[in-house]
Amino acid sequence: MTVPPRPRAARFATFMFFGLNGFAMGMWVVHIPNIERATGISHTTLGALLLVLGGAAFAGMQVAGPLVDRLGQRRLVPAAGILLGLAVCGPGFADSWWTLGLALIGFGFGNGAIDVGMNAHAVVVERAYPRPIMAAFHAMWSIGGAIAAVIGAATLGAGVPTGVTLTGTGVVCVLLSLVSARFLMEPADAPAAVAVSDAAEPAERRRTSGRTVWLLGLLALALMLSEGVANDWAALHMEKVLGTSSSTAALAYGAFAVAMTTGRFLTDRVAAWAGPAAIVRYGATLAAVGLTVAAAVPWVPVSLVGWALFGLGLSGGVPQLFTAAGNLDTRASGALMARVVGLGYVGLLAGPALIGGLTHWLPLNVTFAVPVVLCVLAALFAGVLSPKPEPVEQPVG
C-alpha cells in the first residue's frame, strides 16, 4: 500500500514535535545544576520544585486532552509547542525559589500539553499507515534529548549564560512548531479512520472502552514507573552497590538509554508482525529478567547487560498503550490519551521517590524487586491490548 503524501508529511511533522519536546526537556535537565546555583536553592528545595514541575505537567495533560478533541490537532499541537518554547526560557532567568517555581509551572504545563497533543496526533497519523509507526516517534523524543545533551555540554563548556541558551532553545521550539503546523492532520483526514464508525458504536461498547482505558493507564503507570527507576537509580546502583567509579557507573544508564532508543526504532516492525499485546507481554518479561540480572549479579559487565535488557524490554510497551488508548474512541481520543499518559507520568515521577523511600529499610538492589514485580504484572495483563472479536450472529433456522 502506497501512503499518500499528506500522511507522510504529517508523520515528518510529528517527528519534529517529538524531537523538539525531547530537546526542550534535555536542555532543561543539563542546566539544572547551573540554575540551582543561580537561584541559591538547596537540593531539598529543588526536589520540591521538581514536584511542582511534575504536577503542572499532569495538569497540562488533563487540560490538553479534552481541548485536542474540541479544537483539533492542527490548533492544539502547535499552540502547545509554542507555549513550551516560551516557557523553557523562564528557568534560565530565575533568581529565587519563587521565580523558578513560577517558571516551572509554565514549563511543566506546556510540556504536559504537548505530550498529550503530539501523542494524540501520532495516533491519527498511524491510522493512515498500513503498519505501526508509533514507537519511532518516541525514539525521536530520545534523539532530541541526546542532541540537547551534546549542545548543552558545548554551551556550558563555552560559558554561555543559561538564559541565553534556554532562550535559543525556546526560539527553536517556536519556529519548528510554526513550520510544522501546516502539515498536521485531523482525525477525519486519516483514511483508516473512515472505516471506524464511532457514531454507530453501542453504549455498552463505550462503557467497555471506559474500563479499558483505566487498565491501559495502570499498565502505563507500571512500565513508566520502571523506566523512572532506571533514570534515577541505575548509575547509583553501579556506584554504591557494585563499587564502581562514577564514570563506570554512568555506563549503566547509558546502556539502558541506548537499548531503549534502539528498541523503539525496531518495535514498529515487530509490532506489525506480532501485535501490540505481544510487544507488551514479552517486552515486560524481558525487562523483568534484565533488571533481575542487573540487581542480583555482582559482576559489572553482566550487570550492564542486565540494564541494557531492561531498556530493550521497556522500549516498545508504552507506545502500544498510547496507540490503544487513542483508538478506543476516535471522538474522545485526546481525553482518553490524557488519562493514560497522565497515569504513566505519575509512575515516572513516583518510581524514583518510591525506591528512595524504600532504601531507608532495604538495600538498593533489593528495592528493585518493586519494578520487577510491576513488569511481571504488566506481562500478565497485556491481553487487554488484544482486540476481542465481535460476536457473529447465527442465522435462525
Side-chain angles (χ1 to χ4, degrees):
M1 175 181 174
T2 301
V3 179
R6 185 167 187 180
R8 288 204 302 270
R11 184 187 185 191
F12 181 78
T14 310
F15 274 126
M16 292 299 100
F17 280 105
F18 273 83
L20 73 85
N21 184 212
F23 180 68
M25 287 300 296
M27 292 298 279
W28 148 250
V29 168
V30 299
H31 286 89
I32 286 177
N34 269 14
I35 293 170
E36 186 181 32
R37 285 191 293 272
T39 54
I41 59 176
S42 65
H43 292 329
T44 302
T45 302
L46 176 62
L49 291 176
L50 291 177
L51 289 178
V52 171
L53 171 67
F58 184 81
M61 292 172 188
Q62 304 316 305
V63 171
L67 282 181
V68 76
D69 298 323
R70 183 176 302 176
L71 301 179
Q73 318 275 354
R74 300 186 71 180
R75 293 180 180 178
L76 189 282
V77 179
I82 292 170
L83 174 60
L84 180 71
L86 295 175
V88 75
C89 306
F93 298 99
D95 57 5
S96 63
W97 70 267
W98 67 270
T99 54
L100 180 58
L102 290 176
L104 291 182
I105 289 173
F107 183 49
F109 191 91
N111 182 62
I114 195 172
D115 202 336
V116 167
M118 67 189 186
N119 274 289
H121 184 260
V123 171
V124 171
V125 176
E126 189 176 47
R127 291 187 197 130
Y129 272 74
R131 63 186 185 278
I133 58 173
M134 175 65 89
F137 293 134
H138 286 254
M140 191 63 191
W141 191 96
S142 301
I143 296 296
I147 293 173
V150 173
I151 294 177
T155 56
L156 287 168
V160 179
T162 300
V164 173
T165 304
L166 292 185
T167 298
T169 302
V171 170
V172 170
C173 291
V174 170
L175 290 178
L176 283 176
S177 297
L178 292 173
V179 171
S180 303
R182 62 186 297 265
F183 300 108
L184 301 181
M185 295 172 60
E186 296 292 354
D189 299 329
V194 178
V196 180
S197 177
D198 290 312
E201 194 176 59
E204 177 59 32
R205 185 172 174 184
R206 287 197 293 271
R207 284 194 294 270
T208 301
S209 296
R211 292 191 296 268
T212 301
V213 76
W214 290 112
L215 287 173
L216 294 173
L218 290 174
L219 288 174
L221 186 149
L223 295 181
M224 292 183 71
L225 185 150
S226 302
E227 180 181 344
V229 169
N231 291 342
D232 282 32
W233 292 101
L236 283 171
H237 163 259
M238 293 288 284
E239 184 174 349
K240 303 299 183 184
V241 178
L242 299 188
T244 68
S245 65
S246 297
S247 57
T248 301
L251 294 177
Y253 176 70
F256 171 83
V258 170
M260 173 168 271
T261 303
T262 303
R264 283 177 170 169
F265 277 118
L266 299 175
T267 291
D268 289 327
R269 293 185 180 275
V270 180
W273 168 70
I279 293 293
V280 174
R281 180 178 297 114
Y282 297 113
T285 301
L286 179 62
V289 171
L291 185 54
T292 300
V293 169
V297 177
W299 301 307
V300 171
V302 178
S303 186
L304 289 174
V305 171
W307 284 112
L309 292 177
F310 188 46
L312 186 62
L314 290 178
S315 62
V318 170
Q320 309 309 310
L321 298 173
F322 287 178
T323 294
N327 284 318
L328 284 174
D329 184 344
T330 55
R331 297 170 305 169
S333 179
L336 294 172
M337 176 118 8
R339 296 182 199 174
V340 176
V341 176
L343 282 172
Y345 196 77
V346 168
L348 192 66
L349 293 174
L354 176 62
I355 296 301
L358 289 175
T359 56
H360 290 295
W361 299 282
L362 298 169
L364 178 58
N365 57 332
V366 175
T367 66
F368 290 162
V370 173
V372 168
V373 169
L374 289 175
C375 287
V376 171
L377 289 174
L380 293 175
F381 287 94
V384 71
L385 283 90
S386 299
K388 295 177 174 59
E390 296 290 335
V392 179
E393 294 185 6
Q394 298 294 329
V396 178

